[in-house]
Amino acid sequence: MAARGYLTTSDRSYLKLAAHYRSRLREHGDKALGLDWPREADNRRRFAVMAGLFAADRAKRVSVLDFGCGTSHFYGFLKESGLARRVAYSGIDIGPEAVALSLRKYPRNDCRCFDVLSSTEPLGSYDYAVINGVFTQKREMTDARMRSFLVRVLTRLYPCVRRGLAFNTMSDQVDFRRRGSFHLDLGWAARMLTERFTRNFVVRHDYGLYENTFYLFKGERR
């Protein structure tokens, strides 16, 4: 066991989570259910919140890494909303089927398949990164393992962004918790982010879904 309750970097229980998402894609295909989201409309809402990370740069072209991109539904949202023309989009996912679908739909996009926690392959450098849905389900993983997984992924990605990073989790401010969902304690998250990454963060808990989105910024936002 690592210091402060984090698991060692040799723990790979997150692969069970990856296997769950692969099975959902095989069962339901390239739609919201195939990525384990129940409603398309809710997906568009959370995508809009993710895009809010770089809303202040609307007059500029920005590079964005979509980590855990699945079949690039976030890029589809960017195209539909007219934002794709000012975004240099890249995707990374651990699932080969999802990446193959992404490249069939958007062959000009940079989309790669590999496990960032077991590979030393460089991730590149980006203005922003978004992590949508990777930390909302825990399945058979414990909360401790999910917290460790979250920290390890952020530790790998945060140095690769120049301006900011967003990720979402299920809210812990609910009166019902679906079995297998990961509800992150906001107090723990605030302490962890401040100690390990930055005190310049925003928690979005205002968009009507039973989740929250964190924006982590590099430097103060003016």
Side-chain angles (χ1 to χ4, degrees), residues 124-139:
S125 180
Y126 311 89
D127 293 319
Y128 297 97
V130 297
I131 310 173
N132 181 55
V134 175
F135 308 127
T136 55
Q137 294 290 311
K138 65 179 181 179
R139 309 307 299 170

Side-chain angles (χ1 to χ4, degrees), residues 135-136 150 167-171 182 184 210-214:
F135 308 127
T136 55
L150 186 154
F167 69 92
N168 57 4
T169 68
M170 302 304 295
S171 172
F182 177 55
L184 183 65
Y210 297 105
E211 62 188 58
N212 33 231
T213 295
F214 295 79

Side-chain angles (χ1 to χ4, degrees), residues 53 57 124-129 154-166 196-202 215-222:
L53 174 71
D57 289 329
S125 180
Y126 311 89
D127 293 319
Y128 297 97
L154 293 184
T155 300
R156 186 87 155 92
L157 264 62
Y158 193 65
C160 301
V161 300
R162 290 182 286 270
R163 302 179 192 176
L165 178 152
R196 299 180 70 97
F197 300 102
T198 178
R199 63 177 58 253
N200 297 318
F201 62 86
V202 172
Y215 296 162
L216 281 60
F217 294 109
K218 289 199 167 177
E220 295 181 3
R221 305 292 287 178
R222 299 295 185 182

Side-chain angles (χ1 to χ4, degrees), residues 34 39 50 89-90 120 135 162 166 178 196:
R39 288 176 291 274
M50 285 284 166
Y89 174 92
S90 298
T120 58
F135 308 127
R162 290 182 286 270
R178 190 176 68 174
R196 299 180 70 97

Side-chain angles (χ1 to χ4, degrees), residues 43-53 74 77 204 215:
N43 240 4
R44 290 190 291 273
R45 188 182 301 184
R46 64 176 53 92
F47 287 155
V49 173
M50 285 284 166
L53 174 71
F74 181 60
F77 167 82
R204 291 285 307 271
Y215 296 162

Side-chain angles (χ1 to χ4, degrees), residues 67-162:
F67 178 78
C69 63
T71 58
S72 296
H73 284 199
F74 181 60
Y75 182 74
F77 167 82
L78 295 177
K79 284 180 65 69
E80 292 172 6
S81 58
L83 296 173
R85 59 179 173 268
R86 70 176 191 86
V87 171
Y89 174 92
S90 298
I92 292 177
D93 199 277
I94 198 171
E97 298 94 340
V99 171
L101 271 171
S102 292
L103 291 174
R104 282 203 293 272
K105 293 191 298 184
Y106 309 114
R108 295 185 179 181
N109 281 355
D110 170 30
C111 195
R112 293 179 285 165
C113 177
F114 69 101
D115 180 353
V116 302
L117 297 185
S118 66
S119 170
T120 58
E121 180 178 339
L123 301 184
S125 180
Y126 311 89
D127 293 319
Y128 297 97
V130 297
I131 310 173
N132 181 55
V134 175
F135 308 127
T136 55
Q137 294 290 311
K138 65 179 181 179
R139 309 307 299 170
E140 296 83 11
M141 293 173 66
T142 64
D143 283 347
R145 279 193 161 89
M146 278 300 300
R147 289 191 296 268
S148 175
F149 174 52
L150 186 154
V151 170
R152 289 169 61 192
V153 171
L154 293 184
T155 300
R156 186 87 155 92
L157 264 62
Y158 193 65
C160 301
V161 300
R162 290 182 286 270

